[in-house]
Amino acid sequence: MSARIPTWGERLRRLRYSVRGKLIAVVVATTIIAVLVAGVAMLSHDLTVYRKSWLSDLSTQANILALSTAPALLFNDRDTATRNLSALQARPAVLVAALYNRNGALYAHYVRPGATMPPASLTRPAFGAHIEGERIQLVQPIMRKGEWLGTIYLSARYDVQGRINAYFGIFGLVILLSVLVALVLSAVLQRVITDPLDAMANVARQVVEKEDYTPRAQPSKDVEIGVVVAAFNRMLDEVQHRTLALQQSQDALREADRRKDEFLATLAHELRNPLAPIRHAVKLLELPNVDERQRQWGRDVIARQVQRMALLLDDLLEVSRITRGRLELKQSHVDLPSVVAAAVETARPLVESKQHQLEIVLPREPVELDVDPLRISQALSNLLTNAAKYTDVGGRITLTAELDLPRGLAITVADTGIGVTPQNIPRLFEMFSQVESPVDRAEGGLGIGLALVKGLVELHGGTVEAYSGGLGHGSRFTIRLPASAFSKRQVGDPASTIEQAPLPRHRSRILLADDNRDAVDSLALVLNMAGYDVYPTHSGVEALEVGARVQPEVFILDIGMPEISGYELAGRIRQQPWGRDALLIALTGWGQQEDKERSRGAGFDHHLTKPVDPDQLDSLLRRGTVRTRAGPSPV
Amino acid sequence: MAGILLMSGVAGLACAQSVSEDSVKAAFVYRFTDYVDWPAPALQRAVFTIAVLDDPQLTRELERICAGHQVKGHPVRVKPIHRQKEASDAQIVFLGAGDADAHRRFIAALGAHPILIVTDEDHGLDAGSTINFMLVDHRLRFEISLTAAGRSGLKISSELLSVAARVEGHS
């Protein structure tokens, strides 16, 4: 950082192109021009006056001399004449005075020391004044009573050059003083005008160079400059504001984009998930030796999974309608319990599959709603599904409806699940947001459930809010419907439903692990019929437990499982003596290259994408079991 | 004194390059009329008379100079005289070279008449004349007696006094 000292030339150049330099130049130039013009005018006037007055002065002098010397001429008194002429000693500007008689001969003269002698004769005098350089000569006749007595001759200084010199000396002095004054003035002007401008220029430079819009120019008391500074600062405010807004909207867009990408991936996954059980069920139904129990099971699987897909697609359509403002409410008069019942019915399969306890508390008095029953029950079922999803197996879910007059009706769904961190609560209702990190996508879902709830409730003029005691402390969602959305009636008993689902079991030496029960069951059925001993499990813990007992040759593991993910499970199996040489197959909806690499890194031998083709799996198992020679010979 | 030649600075002598003393004196006499004021009664006559006592040479010169000129608005007459009585009507009397005592008597006899008496002799003023010619460095000059002028009621111009070689008395 060596600050180079600018040379004089550079300073001068900078000054020349700066406002300050121009101001100085203008002031100095104006001053010099004014002084010169005034000076030249004064000089020319003075010269004219000088010439006139000097001429008239000399002429008067000559007349006086003519009068006084006339008698001397008349009576031939040279001494008196000389004495009269000598009186001019008192006039230093008069150099020569001479008297000529009528013959033109020099009669008497006076010569100032150092001056040249007058001409010896003046035979044909040219009367009047003659200016030659710095001399003025005056020749005048001496008359008395019309009679010409002789001629008087005067020669005097005519010091025009001296005067001009003196004037220019004065001009120079005045100009010098004026320029000094102008410089002082410009220094003052600089403080008033150029300082604010300089400051503004500095701010502008800083803004441009550092792209930092925070600095501001100092306000000025001066009207015009104050306006400029204020405008400049307002412009900076505006630019800063806009830049910030742009930044924010850019960030928001990027975030939305990221969420949309995530959403698309999740969507693909979610749409694909039900396909595996359906395909397995279809495969099962195609087999010739299926009994009626198995056939019924297959139909149930297909029905459930189709229902699940339909719900998913409905949600998607609904959200898109809400965001485009196309959703129309079909309001009708319904009672609260029926709406809640419809919601519970929709959520029941998931709640049951995770063995949650569901408690429902409704107000004693009957409550009738003026709402779109489909939408409200959809919102409630979403909350219930969410609660079931984000609560570990065997949790407790409570739905409570309370009259909170005169404000309205509050319906709260509380769970004992994983909860939400405080900083995530505001983002919960945003589209595509999922609290769970994408590593363990066990619960699936599109991340649109809560956004949909919010949209639906707001369409009814209500609000929805979330509360959580933090991670692991469960969460609570409350829908508030305004008084306008319901009317109160009589009697209604609180209903509570507790459902439990049984745990199916099977045989042999392929271990399956998937938290999607249908997926496990259908695949187990297919493999069982293909002649394998199959041990289906539904969590990592269970898989390890069963694995240690059975010591299977092949493990087919789902990746996205709660608690212990497929990756972790594979690692743990590889650490066991019974699992070191086993064939590990990853079975997942995530089929991208990086997913495959990751599963290979975790210890898997193969990576299959859901829904798996049973024939492909069969051939893989054949090769795998032959190579490891650990399993029974294929059928 | 004849034969003295003067470079003439005197106006009115058109053709003279070197002129006689008489001629210069005549010119002086004529010029004196410009610088002397007579009391008004003295100028009530029809002509301005210059009387010259016994000097035909000067008379001629005067006549020549004055021919065609006017003095104080009157034509000039040059009058040669021989006696004191003939001078009583003149405004100027010129007493040429002659007996000093005779001149003294002449002047005394004229009394207090307003007549400019011009003499040309040593100590002329003592004899009672108003203007007396004299030579200074071979040049013709004159002296003036203000006493005599006062006695005759004449006023002499200061310009004339300034060129006089000597001025006697007080006005």
Side-chain angles (χ1 to χ4, degrees):
Chain A
M1 292 289 279
S2 62
R4 207 168 58 84
I5 298 166
T7 66
W8 279 106
E10 281 171 339
R11 280 187 202 180
L12 212 63
R13 213 170 307 127
R14 202 176 299 163
L15 193 65
R16 203 174 131 198
Y17 289 110
S18 72
V19 173
R20 186 179 150 218
K22 282 171 191 151
L23 273 178
I24 294 177
V26 165
V27 172
V28 168
T30 310
T31 312
I32 291 178
I33 289 171
V35 170
L36 278 182
V37 167
V40 167
M42 276 164 64
L43 177 63
S44 60
H45 177 252
D46 180 82
L47 286 181
T48 313
V49 168
Y50 172 64
R51 188 185 136 92
K52 265 189 195 162
S53 66
W54 191 217
L55 272 179
S56 113
D57 188 3
L58 271 186
S59 173
T60 307
Q61 199 76 52
N63 283 336
I64 292 170
L65 277 176
L67 274 176
S68 68
T69 53
L73 273 178
L74 277 172
F75 296 105
N76 191 20
D77 186 355
R78 202 183 288 264
D79 293 342
T80 300
T82 305
R83 208 164 46 240
N84 285 345
L85 291 182
S86 299
L88 287 171
Q89 271 173 342
R91 301 292 305 268
V94 179
L95 299 172
V96 176
L99 210 57
Y100 295 86
N101 64 22
R102 40 172 311 174
N103 297 328
L106 182 60
Y107 183 70
H109 65 266
Y110 156 76
V111 177
R112 197 163 192 81
T116 49
M117 283 291 290
S121 67
L122 213 59
T123 42
R124 265 197 215 105
F127 298 119
H130 311 278
I131 294 168
E132 280 170 29
E134 296 188 5
R135 294 278 180 277
I136 186 165
Q137 288 174 345
L138 191 72
V139 180
Q140 234 168 264
I142 302 173
M143 305 289 288
R144 189 176 175 93
K145 295 190 174 172
E147 200 178 336
W148 179 32
L149 306 182
T151 306
I152 189 154
Y153 165 95
L154 287 179
S155 172
R157 280 203 191 96
Y158 185 62
D159 198 7
V160 175
Q161 195 57 48
R163 270 168 184 269
I164 291 175
N165 289 348
Y167 261 86
F168 275 103
I170 292 169
F171 294 167
L173 212 65
V174 171
I175 285 173
L176 202 72
L177 280 174
S178 319
V179 168
L180 277 177
V181 170
L183 285 176
V184 170
L185 216 65
S186 80
V188 175
L189 278 179
Q190 184 198 352
R191 216 174 309 139
V192 177
I193 296 173
T194 61
D195 274 4
L197 286 181
D198 280 351
M200 222 155 63
N202 278 335
V203 169
R205 204 174 299 127
Q206 210 175 328
V207 165
V208 169
E209 282 171 3
K210 297 184 183 163
E211 291 190 0
D212 172 13
Y213 298 100
T214 46
R216 291 289 179 273
Q218 195 69 29
S220 169
K221 272 176 266 173
D222 196 90
V223 176
E224 290 90 346
I225 292 184
V227 167
V228 172
V229 168
F232 179 73
N233 282 344
R234 243 200 326 274
M235 244 159 58
L236 275 183
D237 286 345
E238 188 64 24
V239 169
Q240 188 181 17
H241 174 72
R242 288 192 186 182
T243 309
L244 196 71
L246 199 67
Q247 191 88 45
Q248 280 171 347
S249 79
Q250 227 169 25
D251 288 349
L253 278 178
R254 209 169 286 137
E255 171 65 15
D257 195 44
R258 190 187 63 74
R259 269 201 241 131
K260 199 163 268 177
D261 284 347
E262 225 167 74
F263 167 74
L264 279 177
T266 312
L267 180 61
H269 181 256
E270 286 298 308
L271 285 177
R272 202 172 205 181
N273 259 347
L275 290 182
I278 291 172
R279 177 173 279 181
H280 297 153
V282 168
K283 195 85 184 172
L284 177 80
L285 292 177
E286 279 170 354
L287 292 172
N289 52 346
V290 188
D291 60 24
E292 184 51 35
R293 193 187 60 83
Q294 287 169 328
R295 195 166 287 145
Q296 180 58 45
W297 180 87
R299 281 198 292 269
D300 288 350
V301 165
I302 292 173
R304 262 202 310 274
Q305 295 299 332
V306 166
Q307 166 81 5
R308 185 179 166 188
M309 262 182 117
L311 276 177
L312 199 68
L313 292 173
D314 281 350
D315 276 3
L316 259 182
L317 285 173
E318 217 76 309
V319 165
S320 101
R321 277 193 207 119
I322 290 178
T323 50
R324 285 181 299 148
R326 289 277 182 80
L327 190 78
E328 282 178 19
L329 295 179
K330 290 177 188 148
Q331 292 199 334
S332 62
H333 207 64
V334 290
D335 61 346
L336 180 63
S338 69
V339 172
V340 172
V344 169
E345 198 49 48
T346 309
R348 187 187 300 275
L350 185 61
V351 173
E352 286 180 355
S353 73
K354 293 196 82 173
Q355 299 163 31
H356 294 314
Q357 229 180 9
L358 178 60
E359 190 185 340
I360 293 171
V361 182
L362 296 179
R364 292 198 174 279
E365 62 269 44
V367 177
E368 284 204 343
L369 302 173
D370 286 318
V371 295
D372 185 334
L374 200 65
R375 307 305 178 196
I376 294 299
S377 69
Q378 198 177 354
L380 286 176
S381 73
N382 268 342
L383 287 184
L384 286 171
T385 309
N386 242 23
K389 214 189 265 183
Y390 293 105
T391 302
D392 293 337
V393 176
R396 185 185 163 82
I397 300 170
T398 316
L399 187 154
T400 314
E402 283 175 313
L403 274 175
D404 180 18
L405 290 171
R407 283 200 290 163
L409 178 68
I411 307 174
T412 303
V413 174
D415 61 48
T416 55
I418 59 172
V420 190
T421 56
Q423 65 264 32
N424 276 329
I425 285 183
R427 293 182 47 223
L428 278 179
F429 297 101
E430 287 175 22
M431 191 84 104
F432 311 136
S433 78
Q434 248 180 326
V435 171
E436 197 80 335
S437 86
V439 178
D440 300 284
R441 281 166 285 201
E443 304 307 334
L446 293 177
I448 57 175
L450 287 175
L452 185 59
V453 169
K454 185 168 181 260
L456 290 173
V457 170
E458 282 176 355
L459 276 177
H460 284 87
T463 59
V464 58
E465 57 196 42
Y467 170 83
S468 173
L471 280 180
H473 290 86
S475 41
R476 200 164 74 222
F477 291 86
T478 302
I479 290 174
R480 289 182 198 282
L481 291 174
S484 63
F486 71 94
S487 48
K488 200 171 47 148
R489 238 188 7 188
Q490 268 301 300
V491 187
D493 52 342
S496 72
T497 312
I498 300 149
E499 293 281 335
Q500 302 236 336
L503 232 162
R505 305 230 77 183
H506 286 288
R507 15 140 236 211
S508 208
R509 304 211 45 198
I510 295 178
L511 189 143
L512 300 182
D514 194 338
D515 61 323
N516 184 327
R517 202 167 290 272
D518 281 341
V520 171
D521 291 354
S522 57
L523 186 57
L525 202 60
V526 170
L527 289 174
N528 198 4
M529 303 198 78
Y532 295 99
D533 278 343
V534 184
Y535 296 92
T537 63
H538 303 100
S539 72
V541 177
E542 192 186 353
L544 286 171
E545 189 187 299
V546 174
R549 184 155 40 85
V550 181
Q551 305 201 348
E553 294 84 3
V554 181
F555 290 83
I556 300 176
L557 309 175
D558 180 32
I559 296 297
M561 286 188 294
E563 293 165 7
I564 302 175
S565 77
Y567 295 134
E568 200 187 332
L569 185 55
R572 291 212 202 163
I573 289 170
R574 281 284 185 238
Q575 284 167 9
Q576 306 299 325
W578 42 267
R580 203 164 293 140
D581 297 322
L583 183 72
L584 294 191
I585 298 171
L587 187 59
T588 172
W590 311 98
Q592 307 211 316
Q593 188 56 38
E594 56 175 7
D595 293 318
K596 289 180 178 172
E597 277 168 17
R598 196 168 163 200
S599 58
R600 192 159 301 133
F604 284 105
D605 296 306
H606 298 287
H607 183 109
L608 295 181
T609 310
K610 285 180 185 173
V612 70
D613 180 351
D615 293 336
Q616 187 196 352
L617 182 60
D618 192 45
S619 67
L620 191 67
L621 285 173
R622 240 175 261 266
R623 280 188 285 127
T625 47
V626 165
R627 194 168 59 219
T628 57
R629 277 190 298 254
S633 55
V635 181
Chain B
M1 273 189 260
I4 293 175
L5 297 178
L6 293 166
M7 275 294 287
S8 173
V10 181
L13 306 176
C15 56
Q17 283 180 339
S18 60
V19 289
S20 67
E21 192 183 334
D22 281 338
S23 153
V24 175
K25 284 177 186 165
F28 271 40
V29 169
Y30 170 69
R31 290 294 176 200
F32 287 155
T33 60
D34 272 352
Y35 298 97
V36 176
D37 281 339
W38 278 264
L43 294 175
Q44 274 170 355
R45 297 170 204 276
V47 293
F48 188 91
T49 305
I50 302 174
V52 180
L53 181 70
D54 298 331
D55 194 339
Q57 191 75 26
L58 193 96
T59 304
R60 260 201 313 281
E61 284 298 329
L62 257 179
E63 277 176 339
R64 190 174 61 80
I65 289 167
C66 297
H69 285 88
Q70 288 201 332
V71 171
K72 314 281 183 196
H74 304 289
V76 182
R77 178 173 62 128
V78 181
K79 179 184 175 188
I81 59 170
H82 306 286
R83 289 188 302 263
Q84 181 266 325
K85 280 183 181 164
E86 290 171 291
S88 56
D89 62 341
Q91 279 75 38
I92 297 177
V93 173
F94 181 77
L95 305 175
D99 180 9
D101 288 340
H103 285 170
R104 195 183 300 266
R105 280 196 301 279
F106 187 99
I107 292 165
L110 276 178
H113 282 292
I115 296 170
L116 178 67
I117 299 166
V118 181
T119 53
D120 182 17
E121 60 191 77
D122 293 341
H123 311 296
L125 294 186
D126 294 343
S129 77
T130 309
I131 297 177
N132 180 48
F133 286 120
M134 57 196 288
L135 274 176
V136 179
D137 297 336
H138 310 295
R139 281 174 57 204
L140 181 70
R141 302 295 303 277
F142 53 85
E143 52 186 353
I144 296 172
S145 166
L146 289 175
T147 314
R151 197 168 49 232
S152 312
L154 301 175
K155 281 186 182 161
I156 315 289
S157 152
S158 66
E159 288 174 274
L160 191 62
L161 295 177
S162 74
V163 292
R166 193 171 77 90
V167 176
E168 183 224 84
H170 299 286
S171 57

